[in-house]
Each structure stands twice: as structure tokens, then as C-alpha cells.
Amino acid sequence: MSIRGIDVSDYQPNVDWQAVARSGIAFAIIKSTEGETFVCDVFKRYWEQAKANGLIRGAYHFFKPDTDPIKQAYHFLKIVKLQEGDLPPVLDIETMGGLEAKALCDRLAQWIDVMEKETGFRPIIYTYPGFWQKLNTTRFSDYPLWIAHYTTAEQPMIPGGWKSWVFWQFTDQGQIEGISGGVDVNLFESIRKGDKGSKVEKIQNLLKNRGYDPGVIDGAFGTGTETALIKFQQTKQLEADGIAGLKTWTALMGRSDSFVLPVGNVEPTPEPTPAPTPTPAPVPSIELIDICKIYKGNPGQDQVLTWLQQQIPSATLLEFSKLWRNQPKAQTTSVKLIDVCKYYRGLPSQDQALRWLQEKIAPSILSELAQQWNQQTLPIPSIKLQDVCKYYKGLPNQAAALDWLQSQIPPATLDEFGKKWRQPAPKK
């Protein structure tokens, strides 16, 4: 089940939070600070009003790479006082600030280190695929990801070695009651019994780290995971429904029971930071796992994958085929990369094989791959009515499309559809 939320800043100066809550919005992430000194004008008011109207709230800091990361972290902590039930701190990173990739990543790590030490939370990282590819790093892939990607695809592109996303900002033109004009709208996906994949694996690890054994960490939400989750929910006095919704995820990502909050947030006197050693400009790259996740089987994608197959030595492809097929013996035929994408299911063994292959491909080839893949003009895909229901978010364009479709269907067909839709499900 998808849960909708918004993120706001000074660009939304007159939010009616009661109306926002009535519209079904479940969470709000509010801009608090930027750089070393800036404070968002609406933050204090919105921070209080969001919670008063029953929304789960979070705060984000817009990172300025060219200023002191430690001062930025303590500036955030001075303004934002996190409470039980709040989302972890959010680090918004969208600009290089004139730095090389390694220097920027080092500064991000300094901000994150302060936040973990002072709050006990693991911060959420907000970014978008095109920017993160410039960093060409998997250094922060263990942190929760809030990805901004406006696409017609069913899932966003996930960069930087992340296996999954926690929040997906899918539009900046959402129409929400209580807010005039367009606003950023985000999704959170609840996880429940029967689900499979990297999000389940993440929940299983979080439960195990907190002392609630889900059984085998296999990415399959079975009885063991459900039982562990219910025990955790009961301990935290949450609704014990066995579903990893936003409140449960927030509690799992919260402070550990052993964390002791420091007395006050006093910024230490930093030692002089030596000038960063110049590093070569990062080579634009792309993750093979990401390609598999967003593959749709269109001719442009197949053409790029065929090109890539021709660039990889035969011996490397045979060894990859052995890993991909999970076979102990040497292979005599290579798997086609098109088939790899077709049959990718996010299994741990598949991800391991793809990471191995990624390391064997020359950076220059990966750079060319990224350029070819990102320059495609993707056709607008056809859509199933089942997917329409699954991804319906109440946006004006979606409602208009459904109204148009209704007008095109003969009344007799609609009548028959109505009968089948309302027919009770057969008893098992």
C-alpha cells in the first residue's frame, strides 16, 4: 500500500494543515535550514502545525558543499528538536559547490557523523539520479534513500548502489487541498506478509539489529518476519498489525534503546581542516542493478545492452554467466545481458553477480554506457488497469484520464464490468 506525503519550504507560505490532513496526506517533510546560518521562515510554524494535525513530520537540511559541514550540522541541531515519532534528519544534497566528488563525499560524511553522534538517528539522504551519478560512489548506500525522479515508470531509478528507496518524490506539481499551486508529493510503500525484495530484506535487518529475530534474512516477508514485527510493534505501543507502515518504519529507524542523548548540542571547536587533495573529476557511471530495475524491453534499451555485451571480454562474460546461473561448473555459453534484465528479480545472488560484473567493466565503458542509456527517448508504455489502480494517487491528470476512458467505453461494457467488479470473491 502506498502512503502519500509532501515536502514544503518557504515556497509554500500559507499551508492549511487541517485541509492537508483531511486530503489523506500522512507525512510532511519541512525545510529547516541551509548552509551555516539560513533558517526557513515557515519551519517553526509548520513543524508545530504538522504534528498538531496528526502528520508524521520530518525536517531537511539543504547542504552547501562550500561551507563547513560540522557547522552546518550543529546549525540544524540548534533549530530542529527531534521527538519520538519524528522521521530521522534529512540531508538534501543536490549541488557540487565547486568540489571534486571525493571531497564532497568526505564533507557529507562529516555532517552525517555529527548527526548520528548527537541524535542516535541514521540520516535520510535526499538526491536525484542525475546528480548522484556525478559522485560515482556507493559510500552512503546503507543510509535510507529519498529519491527525486519524475518519470512515467512504475519505479524510480535508484543510483549509487542503493537497493531500494524509502521515499519517492514523483512530482513537483502535485495538487493538494490546503496548498495553493504545485507542491512536491512523495510516496512511502508499506511492506506486509507475502512481499519480497530488498525492502523486506531491509526491514528484516532492522528487526534483527534491534533484537527481534525474523529468521533467515532472505527478502521474503513470511511468518517469522511478521511475528518479529508484531513483537516490536507491541514493545513500541504501535498498532500490532504486522505491517511495516510508516509509523513502524520510523520507530525502526529511530534511536536505539541504549542511546543516551547528549546534554545540549554544543558545537566543538573544529581543528583546522587541511585543503582537500585535488582528485580527478568523477567519471559519469551507472549501476547495472539500476539498469535491470528500470528495464522495459524497448528497442533503445536492447540496443544499448547489445552494445555493452560486445564491449565485455568473452572470458568475463562466461564467469559472469556462472555467477548469474549460480552454477559451480564453468560455463560454455554466455548469458545475454538482455535476458539478464528480462529475468532480473532482485535476488541476492543476482545482485552479487551484477556487482561482480560492474567491477570488471572499464570506467570508460561504464561512462559511455551511462551516456547512451540516459540519452534514450523512451516510448510511452501501455498500461494495465490493474497498475492504474495500484499507482493511482488522485492527481488531476490521472482523474482526467480516467474520465476520458469512461467516456470511450460502451455503456453495456461498463454495466458488465460493474457486475464483475461488485461480485463477491469466492470463498477459499
Side-chain angles (χ1 to χ4, degrees):
M1 182 181 72
S2 296
I3 299 171
R4 291 192 305 157
I6 57 173
D7 59 276
V8 295
S9 65
D10 286 340
Y11 289 106
Q12 291 81 31
N14 297 299
V15 174
D16 181 344
W17 288 97
Q18 286 186 342
V20 169
R22 285 197 306 268
S23 72
I25 292 298
F27 63 94
I29 305 176
I30 307 161
K31 181 176 181 179
S32 57
T33 49
E34 179 175 332
E36 296 179 16
T37 59
F38 177 82
V39 179
C40 190
D41 289 340
V42 300
F43 175 73
K44 186 176 185 299
R45 175 162 47 97
Y46 286 1
W47 185 245
E48 296 170 352
Q49 292 176 350
K51 184 170 185 177
N53 284 278
L55 276 69
I56 296 175
R57 64 184 183 178
Y60 75 88
H61 173 81
F62 189 90
F63 192 77
K64 302 286 291 223
D66 56 346
T67 60
D68 190 313
I70 295 177
K71 289 183 177 179
Q72 290 190 65
Y74 281 100
H75 175 50
F76 175 88
L77 292 171
K78 180 180 178 181
I79 301 302
V80 181
K81 304 303 179 184
L82 295 171
Q83 298 176 359
E84 189 76 20
D86 292 336
L87 294 172
V90 178
L91 180 60
D92 179 347
I93 176 63
E94 305 179 39
T95 62
M96 298 293 293
L99 300 181
E100 302 290 353
K102 183 179 183 304
L104 174 55
C105 289
D106 288 344
R107 293 193 174 195
L108 295 178
Q110 288 180 284
W111 191 95
I112 289 171
D113 287 346
V114 171
M115 213 53 52
E116 291 182 313
K117 180 184 73 174
E118 297 289 353
T119 70
F121 287 98
R122 290 181 68 77
I124 299 168
I125 293 179
Y126 169 93
T127 192
Y128 62 93
F131 173 77
W132 202 262
Q133 285 179 6
K134 298 177 185 177
L135 298 183
N136 192 24
T137 183
T138 60
R139 183 171 174 180
F140 303 98
S141 60
D142 194 41
Y143 290 87
L145 173 65
W146 175 13
I147 190 70
H149 188 201
Y150 309 154
T151 174
T152 58
E154 295 176 3
Q155 294 287 330
M157 181 176 178
I158 305 176
W162 275 288
K163 292 183 178 180
S164 63
W165 51 272
V166 174
F167 297 114
W168 172 18
Q169 184 187 90
F170 62 87
T171 182
D172 60 355
Q173 295 297 318
Q175 300 298 309
I176 302 297
E177 184 183 352
I179 302 177
S180 59
V183 66
D184 297 340
V185 184
N186 307 271
L187 286 184
F188 170 88
E189 287 186 338
S190 297
I191 307 298
R192 64 188 66 210
K193 191 173 183 178
D195 288 339
K196 296 181 180 181
S198 54
K199 289 188 178 183
V200 176
E201 183 181 348
K202 182 66 175 179
I203 292 293
Q204 290 173 329
N205 279 309
L206 289 171
L207 285 167
K208 187 171 183 178
N209 291 341
R210 286 184 170 269
Y212 300 85
D213 185 11
V216 180
I217 308 297
D218 57 1
F221 199 132
T223 302
T225 301
E226 184 182 46
T227 301
L229 191 62
I230 289 174
K231 289 180 180 178
F232 173 78
Q233 291 172 326
Q234 291 171 337
T235 302
K236 292 296 182 179
Q237 298 182 336
L238 299 168
E239 182 181 0
D241 56 4
I243 299 172
L246 184 54
K247 287 185 178 180
T248 298
W249 181 88
T250 301
L252 282 168
M253 290 300 300
R255 301 183 180 102
S256 66
D257 296 334
S258 61
F259 178 78
V260 178
L261 190 67
V263 180
N265 297 122
V266 180
E267 179 183 347
T269 302
E271 297 181 1
T273 303
T277 303
T279 56
V283 178
S285 186
I286 191 169
E287 296 288 329
L288 297 180
I289 292 175
D290 293 338
I291 286 178
C292 289
K293 288 178 179 178
I294 62 176
Y295 175 77
K296 296 297 179 185
N298 65 65
Q301 292 177 330
D302 287 349
Q303 183 177 355
V304 175
L305 290 170
T306 300
W307 170 85
L308 177 61
Q309 182 119 10
Q310 295 169 350
Q311 312 306 310
I312 303 174
S314 298
T316 302
L317 286 172
L318 287 172
E319 183 63 24
F320 167 71
S321 300
K322 175 182 173 182
L323 295 171
W324 176 261
R325 293 167 176 151
N326 205 15
Q327 296 292 326
K329 296 182 179 180
Q331 301 293 289
T332 57
T333 58
S334 298
V335 65
K336 293 182 179 179
L337 295 182
I338 291 175
D339 290 335
V340 167
C341 290
K342 282 182 180 178
Y343 299 109
Y344 176 77
R345 296 296 181 268
L347 301 177
S349 59
Q350 293 178 330
D351 287 347
Q352 183 179 359
L354 287 166
R355 292 193 186 99
W356 179 88
L357 181 60
Q358 180 102 16
E359 294 177 356
K360 300 300 180 182
I361 301 176
S364 59
I365 300 298
L366 290 173
S367 177
E368 178 64 24
L369 171 64
Q371 293 178 24
Q372 290 194 33
W373 189 266
N374 293 331
Q375 287 173 0
Q376 295 176 82
T377 302
L378 300 180
I380 299 176
S382 59
I383 190 167
K384 296 180 179 179
L385 290 181
Q386 289 178 337
D387 291 334
V388 168
C389 296
K390 184 177 180 181
Y391 296 103
Y392 180 72
K393 307 177 186 78
L395 299 177
N397 63 302
Q398 293 176 330
L402 288 171
D403 288 341
W404 174 85
L405 177 61
Q406 179 126 2
S407 69
Q408 306 301 308
I409 302 175
T413 303
L414 286 172
D415 288 343
E416 185 63 26
F417 171 75
K419 292 177 184 178
K420 293 180 179 296
W421 177 264
R422 298 183 182 100
Q423 184 177 352
K427 295 182 179 180
K428 295 182 180 180

